[in-house]
């Protein structure tokens, strides 16, 4: 059903399944905030369902289920189909990194009897949204021995939280006269992490006390920050939002909401005709670069391995044919139409919370620059599949022409000659510490992804 209120599809009975799915999503979002945590979660869920590590499998046949992991930060899981893989695969892709603050490599300093940690923001954040709110630290510290220490500080009720302080309005004359973008500077986003220097250590500096605490509690020494990946992000759980609990407020819907629904669509599917895959990538928010971003050769390598294990032979042409014949939903959140900010949208071509899965034929900015412009032949197949399965969907552009724009991973996979279209779930307050989605869109997207892997060929 195109561009209609998807809530109307449900009644008191049928809404239960939708609400249950969203409860599971809320739990996932509360427990998994980083790319590493989501990859680990995905592996655990795959294993529960009998998926095998691709490395442990010698050959593959229809019905087999396998997963591959890249450096703990990407996962691809596959259901092997009955059809020849050279006819292509159906891919659901999403990214699992979200905007945040990363702790610098030499972060710790002391000033005016406070200990602070210096950060560098990751992705497109609005800086003033990150001050004066409880923050947590998630990540890893890798010791010189290779030992990996997993860190989560601030999520357990017994944990302390961290915070970046803000200036009181009484003394804000100069600061508040600045533009919103300048009012908090990137170098000003430093976490206050300690203040107590007891008399018993009267000769010691506060910084030494904090180092002692880090050593005792987490086995981290100052130089270990050099080989660490520590992410500062909003503390706390995702929650149902609205008096009617129709929405979800949480950190990192962009793009964990598409990642979760894509993953679930694969995990909840048993048999497929075309080999189907869910791939979750890192680094989208900083340009999809690096060996864990969508531009990495890793995904091609995995597909090459799948082909060779299915066919007991391999050449490059087989890989190229498979990629060219593949279909992909590059799923990433859309800017939801917000009645408080109508002016930046073009109402006919905006993505509305409550109208289901959103397709962006193209993204890009200023004359569609940098976009993957999906082919109408491909879009027509999707329309048919979704209408046949009674899935609610809509189409949209990212805001008014010339207002701004954005990109996703779609063009990267399209460069492999796959058929790719941007799909996703509308979000309010995108890139803010807490973002908003509609529960009906979460569920319709899940149904849409299932329809895609089942029907598109
Ligand atoms: Mn995104
Ligand atoms: Mn984003």
């Amino acid at each position: 059903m195109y561009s209609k209120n998807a809530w109307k599809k449900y009644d008191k009975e049928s809404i239960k399944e939708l609400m249950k799915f969203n409860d599971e999503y809320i739990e996932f979002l509360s427990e998994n905030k980083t790319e590493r945590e989501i990859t680990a979660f995905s592996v655990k869920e795959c294993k529960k369902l009998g998926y095998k590590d691709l490395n442990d499998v010698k050959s593959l046949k229809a019905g087999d289920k396998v997963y591959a992991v890249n450096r703990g930060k990407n996962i691809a899981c596959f259901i092997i189909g009955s059809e020849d893989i050279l006819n292509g695969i159906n891919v659901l892709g999403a990214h699992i990194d979200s905007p945040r603050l990363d702790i610098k490599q030499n972060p710790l300093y002391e000033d005016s009897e406070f200990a602070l940690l210096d950060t560098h923001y990751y992705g497109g954040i609005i800086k003033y949204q990150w001050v004066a709110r409880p923050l947590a630290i998630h990540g890893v510290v890798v010791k010189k021995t290779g030992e990996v220490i997993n860190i989560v500080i601030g999520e357990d009720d017994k944990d302390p939280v961290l915070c970046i302080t803000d200036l009181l309005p009484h003394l804000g004359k100069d600061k508040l006269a600045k533009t919103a973008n300048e009012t908090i500077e990137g170098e000003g986003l430093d976490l206050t992490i300690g203040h107590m220097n007891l008399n018993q250590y009267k000769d010691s500096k506060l910084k030494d006390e904090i180092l002692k605490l880090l050593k005792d509690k987490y086995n981290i020494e100052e130089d270990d920050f050099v080989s660490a990946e520590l992410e500062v992000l909003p503390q706390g759980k995702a929650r149902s939002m609205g008096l009617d609990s129709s929405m979800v407020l949480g950190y990192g819907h962009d793009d964990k909401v598409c990642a979760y629904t894509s993953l679930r669509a694969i995990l909840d599917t048993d048999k497929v005709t075309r080999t189907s895959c869910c791939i979750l990538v890192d680094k989208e928010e900083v340009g999809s670069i690096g060996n864990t971003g969508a531009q990495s050769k890793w995904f091609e390598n995995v597909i090459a391995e799948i082909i060779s294990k299915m066919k007991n032979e391999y050449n490059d042409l087989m890989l190229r044919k498979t990629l060219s014949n593949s279909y992909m939903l590059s799923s990433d959140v859309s800017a939801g139409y917000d009645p408080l900010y109508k002016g930046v949208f073009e109402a006919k071509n905006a993505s509305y919370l409550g109208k289901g899965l959103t397709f962006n034929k193209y993204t890009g900015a200023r004359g569609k620059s940098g976009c993957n412009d999906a082919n109408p032949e491909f879009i027509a197949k999707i329309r048919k599949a979704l209408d046949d399965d009674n899935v609610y969907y809509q189409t949209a552009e990212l805001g008014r022409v010339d207002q701004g724009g954005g990109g996703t991973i779609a063009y990267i996979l399209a460069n492999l000659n796959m058929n790719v279209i941007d799909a996703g779930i509308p979000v309010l307050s995108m890139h803010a510490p807490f973002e908003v989605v509609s529960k009906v869109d979460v569920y319709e997207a899940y149904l849409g992804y299932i329809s895609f892997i089942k029907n598109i060929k």
Side-chain angles (χ1 to χ4, degrees), residues 217-280:
K217 221 170 161 185
Y218 305 105
N219 191 24
I220 303 173
E221 304 192 54
E222 187 168 17
D223 287 356
D224 291 335
F225 282 110
V226 170
S227 48
E229 221 167 56
L230 294 169
E231 306 180 7
V232 179
L233 41 78
Q235 181 274 339
K237 293 180 188 304
R239 301 286 296 264
S240 280
M241 183 182 135
L243 298 179
D244 55 2
S245 293
S246 55
M247 295 163 275
V248 180
L249 181 71
Y251 165 68
H253 286 312
D254 179 7
D255 186 32
K256 298 172 178 79
V257 69
C258 298
Y260 182 76
T261 43
S262 296
L263 180 70
R264 279 287 303 266
I266 288 285
L267 297 182
D268 293 350
T269 298
D270 193 31
K271 283 198 162 51
V272 287
T273 315
R274 282 164 69 84
T275 294
S276 297
C277 166
C278 170
I279 174 178
L280 305 180

Side-chain angles (χ1 to χ4, degrees), residues 95 97-99 124 254-255 284-285 332-333 407 430-431 435:
H95 70 91
D97 59 318
S98 299
D254 179 7
D255 186 32
E284 193 276 343
E285 297 293 357
D332 205 343
V333 292
M430 195 194 293
H431 283 204
E435 304 170 317

